[in-house]
Amino acid sequence: MLRVAVVGSGPSGVYAAQALVQQREVPGVRVDVLDRLPAPYGLVRYGVAPDHEKIKSLTGSLRTVLEEDRIRFLGNVEVGAPPLSTARLLELYHAVVYCVGAARDRLLGIPGEELAGVHSATAFVSWYSGHPDAGPFDLSGVRSAVVVGAGNVAVDVARILARGAADLTPTDMPQPALGALAGSGVREVSMVARRGPSQGRFTTKELRELGTLPGVGIRVDPAEAALDPAYADPGAAAALPAVARRNVEVLRGWTGPGSGAGESRRLTLRFYLRPVEVLGGADGRVRALRFERTAPDGRGGVTGTGAYEDLPAELVLRSVGYLGVPLPGLPFDAARGTVPHAAGRVLRAGRASVGEYVAGWIKRGPTGVIGTNRPCAKETVSSLLQDAGALARRDLPRDPLDALRAAGLRPVEWPGWLAIEAAEAELGRSLGRRSVKIPDWAGLRGAAGVA
């Protein structure tokens, strides 16, 4: 019998576990899905916006996999830190598949980025998604917010900032975050990109959703948009990829002046602006973000024009990409933010490390959508199965769970996760809401019975 540990219970980890137990070449594979958090589902639980219930419903299919007889969820288990090093984990399993994602955001790399009020969109998402590592956000003194980026995460955080708290009450957003958004003074939200409308990385569905927010006026500056040749020329627009073409069509509908009637907040999409400096006040807090106007360079990129504009902001959220984080004990390519691999096999000094594999963002970088993780995981599992004969020769302890407990770890098994779910449902009922996330370590561990 082949015993495999999958580190990470997000989509890539669950898809890897599913591929392992559904294959027929190697019978009797048993999989333990380990996660640092007491709760499963990774970014589906802690990264998908709470008002995107259709995407969050993916937890149903992930749940079905984790309830398979030959798969065991073990949360509250941190790999890479004492007492569970990567070397020790490999002693307990025939093979280990690391699916640990890309947890670090990219910096803007400009002066003033350290000022109070400048955050990563990742931190903001973690806060309103109830991640137990997230710090608080005080929005009471914020009137103007600037989101730097042109991808779906930027769209998400801009939407949450502009959206009324009443629209978020039916979601599972933690009560402290909902209360902070309800008391928010935010009235102006700007989402800013350094390139043009046709080069946005957002998907049309998420973009179009911005125009449906009650009480929110949305606008695109027609002069900025017209700098994009693919926006200004219908013929050029017709040659765009389908998503970019649809995005341009949506944005064209927002270039009018707007009536302003009934609008309590305004959301503006800005283009061809590159951040160059964060401007602060005497209190050390951000007051504005300075941008240089850019222009198309004719090669798909942009060039600076030497003209500058300051956008007032008491809150700046950067959303310019992610990077993987080194896991102690594993090789790491700092430039790519990934673990070196060949078809999912971890490479140490250029050679495949027997029994160690990667899948998901830590394998390929932060690209693709949730579904991209499935073929990625299958490739890795295929490599693992090719190695299964050699891997299975090694003798292992009878049950790795006994060794984890003997080392002082307190894993949260599936019944513990079900207890967290029940506690969150009860919390929601007590607040007159549906299920509400428990946003802190003590609360999660207490609900799971491992406090």
Side-chain angles (χ1 to χ4, degrees):
M1 180 177 68
L2 195 69
R3 281 197 174 274
V4 180
V6 172
V7 182
S9 65
S12 62
V14 174
Y15 293 152
Q18 182 180 37
L20 281 163
V21 299
Q22 287 185 346
Q23 55 78 35
R24 297 182 179 180
E25 302 98 296
V26 181
V29 176
R30 298 278 177 171
V31 181
D32 284 349
V33 178
L34 280 57
D35 203 295
R36 185 176 72 91
L37 296 170
Y41 310 138
L43 281 179
V44 177
R45 176 175 166 91
Y46 290 118
V48 175
D51 57 344
H52 274 178
E53 294 190 5
K54 185 174 182 180
I55 303 176
K56 289 174 72 66
S57 68
L58 178 63
T59 58
S61 60
L62 300 180
R63 180 192 197 96
T64 299
V65 175
L66 292 174
E67 288 179 335
E68 287 260 3
D69 289 342
R70 287 180 289 152
I71 296 175
R72 179 170 57 179
F73 173 70
L74 299 176
N76 199 42
V77 174
E78 184 170 5
V79 176
L84 190 57
S85 67
T86 54
R88 175 56 178 155
L89 187 63
L90 194 55
E91 292 173 355
L92 302 178
Y93 294 89
H94 292 111
V96 180
V97 184
Y98 291 95
C99 306
V100 293
R104 188 178 63 186
D105 68 290
R106 294 180 183 272
L107 296 171
L108 297 174
I110 60 176
E113 195 167 1
E114 75 287 350
L115 289 171
V118 181
H119 304 273
S120 70
T122 307
F124 191 67
V125 169
S126 294
W127 168 70
Y128 67 59
S129 297
H131 196 293
D133 287 340
F137 274 77
D138 180 7
L139 304 177
S140 58
V142 179
R143 178 174 177 80
S144 298
V146 173
V147 180
V148 181
N152 279 343
V153 175
V155 170
D156 277 349
V157 297
R159 187 184 67 256
I160 293 294
L161 281 168
R163 185 159 224 163
D167 297 329
L168 296 168
T169 300
T171 73
D172 63 358
M173 180 179 286
Q175 191 67 17
L178 183 65
L181 287 163
S184 164
V186 175
R187 294 296 176 265
E188 299 272 350
V189 180
S190 299
M191 195 175 94
V192 186
R194 66 185 179 89
R195 297 196 294 177
S198 68
Q199 296 167 307
R201 302 297 297 274
F202 32 68
T203 52
T204 308
K205 180 180 181 292
E206 279 66 30
L207 178 66
R208 189 180 285 121
E209 194 175 1
L210 295 178
T212 67
L213 303 179
V216 178
I218 186 164
R219 188 170 185 270
V220 173
D221 185 324
E224 289 179 350
L227 294 173
D228 187 340
Y231 183 96
D233 179 2
L240 290 171
V243 172
R245 186 171 64 251
R246 291 194 296 267
N247 287 345
V248 166
E249 291 170 0
V250 171
L251 292 166
R252 279 204 183 101
W254 296 339
T255 55
S259 67
E263 296 174 0
S264 59
R265 293 183 176 90
R266 183 167 58 187
L267 175 56
T268 306
L269 279 67
R270 304 290 308 271
F271 295 98
Y272 291 112
L273 292 172
R274 177 168 57 203
V276 294
E277 185 178 3
V278 181
L279 307 177
D283 58 357
R285 296 193 61 84
V286 59
R287 289 291 176 262
L289 190 56
R290 178 163 293 167
F291 292 89
E292 181 183 15
R293 169 69 60 192
T294 61
D297 63 4
R299 300 184 301 276
V302 294
T303 185
T305 65
Y308 296 87
E309 179 180 347
D310 296 347
L311 282 184
E314 295 81 30
L315 175 68
V316 172
L317 298 175
R318 60 177 180 266
S319 181
V320 291
Y322 297 91
L323 286 171
V325 176
L327 187 68
L330 282 186
F332 189 71
D333 183 336
R336 296 177 178 270
T338 58
V339 170
H341 72 93
R345 295 180 177 91
V346 172
L347 298 178
R348 293 182 180 272
R351 301 183 64 180
S353 176
V354 178
E356 293 183 305
Y357 305 85
V358 286
W361 280 3
I362 199 64
K363 170 187 174 183
R364 67 180 191 273
T367 61
V369 295
I370 289 175
T372 311
N373 290 294
R374 192 180 292 275
C376 173
K378 285 185 175 179
E379 180 193 52
T380 295
V381 167
S382 176
S383 294
L384 190 158
L385 295 174
Q386 292 170 24
D387 303 339
L391 298 174
R393 296 192 191 104
R394 195 161 50 87
D395 292 332
L396 300 178
R398 188 173 62 86
D399 187 349
L401 182 55
D402 295 335
L404 297 178
R405 287 173 173 156
L409 295 170
R410 305 193 66 186
V412 171
E413 297 182 71
W414 196 250
W417 160 240
L418 296 181
I420 292 173
E421 279 193 319
E424 293 185 335
E426 178 56 35
L427 175 60
R429 282 191 292 271
S430 72
L431 296 168
R433 301 173 58 195
R434 289 189 281 176
S435 182
V436 171
K437 282 181 183 170
I438 297 171
D440 60 281
W441 282 100
L444 289 168
R445 286 170 171 159
V450 298

